[in-house]
């Protein structure tokens, strides 16, 4: 068996998978989002790659895959677009897209040496100044 980044070019079939969606739904369990992935049958089981799953989760539309996909970055009705995140975070869609492009350019220049720090925006014991406050918020 030879590892592959994606099965899209050599898929035997495509299937829709149910991905969790925690931003909507009547309970804390949220709802599901149906997106497609390319698959192959190995040992009687359907398999895909982690890369294909990640692209489905993040709403990266690829030709021939079933499911519900964003129509563009401006589509606020589908998860994982800059417009969608703006409705939740209040970060302007254009700013989110710009920051994503900056991370991608940095990853290209550094062969993947990029880091995203998640957590609270306030650093305990520090007094925010205009210059440090900008670095704490996206």
């Amino acid at each position: 068996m030879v590892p592959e980044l994606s099965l899209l070019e050599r898929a035997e079939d495509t299937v829709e998978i149910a991905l969790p969606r925690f931003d909507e739904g009547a309970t804390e369990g949220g709802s599901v989002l149906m997106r497609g992935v390319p698959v192959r049958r190995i040992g009687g089981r359907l398999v895909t790659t982690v890369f294909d799953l990640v692209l489905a989760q993040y709403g990266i539309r690829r030709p021939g895959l079933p499911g519900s996909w964003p129509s563009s970055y401006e589509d606020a009705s589908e998860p994982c677009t800059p417009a969608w995140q703006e409705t939740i975070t209040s970060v302007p869609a254009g700013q989110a897209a710009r920051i994503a492009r900056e991370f991608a350019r940095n990853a290209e220049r550094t062969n993947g040496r990029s880091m995203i720090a998640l957590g609270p925006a306030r650093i305990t014991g520090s007094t925010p100044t205009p210059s440090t406050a900008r670095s704490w918020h996206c």
Side-chain angles (χ1 to χ4, degrees), residues 12-91:
E12 295 170 358
D13 201 0
T14 61
V15 296
E16 276 192 314
I17 57 173
L19 297 165
R21 183 169 177 179
F22 301 108
D23 65 316
E24 67 177 20
T27 68
E28 64 185 36
S31 65
V32 295
L33 178 65
M34 301 304 290
R35 297 248 168 96
V37 294
V39 295
R40 296 189 72 191
R41 192 167 293 279
I42 298 176
R45 298 186 185 270
L46 289 177
V47 298
T48 193
T49 69
V50 171
F51 183 75
D52 291 318
L53 290 170
V54 168
L55 292 183
Q57 178 70 50
Y58 289 141
I60 309 299
R61 180 192 296 258
R62 296 183 294 160
L65 296 179
S68 176
W69 302 93
S71 59
S72 70
Y73 284 165
E74 290 78 31
D75 186 349
S77 68
E78 288 289 331
C80 301
T81 65
W84 169 81
Q85 71 76 38
E86 182 175 1
T87 65
I88 297 168
T89 68
S90 299
V91 174

Side-chain angles (χ1 to χ4, degrees), residues 102-116:
E102 289 172 4
F103 268 100
R105 274 194 299 276
N106 181 68
E108 287 177 333
R109 286 193 303 264
T110 63
N111 294 317
R113 293 184 179 157
S114 291
M115 180 173 52
I116 299 173

